[in-house]
Amino acid sequence: MRMRNYLKEKLAEKPYVLGAFVASCNPTNVEILGMNGLDFVILDMEHSPLGLETMVDMIRAAEAYDMVAIPRVYTIETKLMRRVLDVGAHGLLVPMVNNMDDARYIMDAVKFPPLGARGMNAGRGPRWGGYDHYIQEANDALFTMFQCETREGLSHVEEMAAMDGLDSIFIGTGDLSLDMGHPQDLKNPEVVAAVDRILRACQEHGKIPGIVTGSPEAAAERIRQGFRIVTIMNDLGMFKAQSQRQIEQVHALCP
């Protein structure tokens, strides 16, 4: 059995992929998103109580629909990064990657030698020995994404984009605009220039540019701009907005 990079395969077939942040810690939500044809989900271990045992079931739910599940894990938690990969995650999204020390620290955690210092295991990641050449294949097949979302990260983005083993740089526009002093003002010229700079660094160094959006219109605008990995929702945010809309519509019909 051969290990595959499903997100790269999807990107080879079409110009962009669509995804969602899943903060609900709910495998059923993952399954529904996969059934609806979403390409990938980010399993949010940064801003939710998600644990490994639940996460494994969320990964399985994604796999049932050929959807890619990528956990988001903090930069400093290298032991957790390795455990996430050991239990079968298809890659990692790491937030707040601010400098080359951060970048090398992450690569050591997620890549086997000679690219990093990850240790061997025989768990669900290598399918309990089912992959014939897991150690050799994992460095290429596991999708590694850095989030650029601070001024410091922006100042090092070209250097990070040139790193071997990195697949994508993903822009967290909320934190980036906040750190730049323009919270959620994505039309601010300084924020616009920062997004353009990150996109250009990815394109120049052969990395796949990604970005967060919150509406179909914003997603389409970013895709036309050149972004190829685009999140279009947070499952809890969508549930909150849709449930509120339903309640308000009933009240409006019954004044």
Side-chain angles (χ1 to χ4, degrees):
M1 187 164 67
R2 180 177 63 87
M3 193 175 188
R4 297 164 58 188
N5 187 316
Y6 291 98
L7 204 52
K8 281 188 176 179
E9 290 179 16
K10 287 173 179 281
L11 286 162
E13 296 169 358
K14 48 190 177 181
Y16 61 87
V17 292
L18 298 181
F21 284 90
V22 178
S24 62
C25 311
N26 192 327
T28 301
N29 283 7
V30 173
E31 185 173 4
I32 291 170
L33 292 171
M35 183 182 67
N36 285 344
L38 208 63
D39 296 300
F40 71 98
V41 286
I42 304 296
L43 309 181
D44 197 356
M45 301 187 81
E46 181 184 12
H47 298 302
S48 83
L50 179 60
L52 285 177
E53 291 186 6
T54 300
M55 189 194 72
V56 171
D57 288 334
M58 297 171 79
I59 292 171
R60 289 192 180 105
E63 290 170 345
Y65 292 91
D66 295 325
M67 185 169 65
V68 179
I70 298 180
R72 177 164 69 169
V73 182
Y74 265 128
T75 311
I76 60 172
E77 295 172 331
T78 55
K79 291 182 180 179
L80 181 56
M81 289 181 199
R82 288 167 175 155
R83 290 189 70 196
V84 162
L85 297 177
D86 289 350
V87 300
H90 296 267
L92 284 176
L93 174 64
V94 186
M96 297 290 181
V97 184
N98 292 324
N99 51 57
M100 291 306 295
D101 286 340
D102 287 347
R104 285 186 286 266
Y105 189 68
I106 296 161
M107 283 297 175
D108 273 350
V110 304
K111 300 293 184 181
F112 292 109
L115 289 180
R118 184 182 167 202
M120 294 179 62
N121 77 97
R124 186 177 185 273
R127 294 303 188 268
W128 307 280
Y131 290 125
D132 295 327
H133 305 287
Y134 177 72
I135 298 299
Q136 293 84 353
E137 294 173 350
N139 279 351
D140 292 328
L142 294 170
F143 202 85
T144 306
M145 305 171 68
F146 290 172
Q147 277 194 256
C148 186
E149 47 190 348
T150 64
R151 286 181 182 272
E152 184 182 2
L154 180 65
S155 69
H156 295 281
V157 69
E158 289 84 8
E159 192 177 2
M160 286 192 285
M163 287 191 75
D164 289 339
L166 181 67
D167 295 293
S168 171
I169 295 179
F170 186 91
I171 304 175
T173 53
D175 281 327
L176 180 60
S177 62
L178 178 64
D179 193 66
M180 299 184 82
H182 313 292
Q184 298 295 351
D185 183 6
L186 304 188
K187 299 298 184 183
N188 182 279
E190 190 177 12
V191 177
V192 170
V195 170
D196 287 342
R197 178 177 174 180
I198 298 165
L199 175 60
R200 187 167 57 251
C202 287
Q203 293 170 335
E204 290 176 355
H205 292 281
K207 301 302 189 289
I208 302 167
I211 197 165
V212 60
T213 71
S215 71
E217 294 77 15
E221 180 181 353
R222 294 303 191 187
I223 290 166
R224 289 192 295 267
Q225 188 178 357
F227 287 94
R228 301 192 63 204
I229 295 177
V230 181
T231 59
I232 59 174
M233 70 182 82
N234 176 301
D235 67 333
L236 290 182
M238 182 184 65
F239 176 74
K240 190 263 184 188
Q242 183 60 32
S243 61
Q244 185 175 11
R245 189 176 299 115
Q246 293 279 89
I247 294 166
E248 290 173 351
Q249 286 177 352
V250 173
H251 289 319
L253 292 170
C254 303

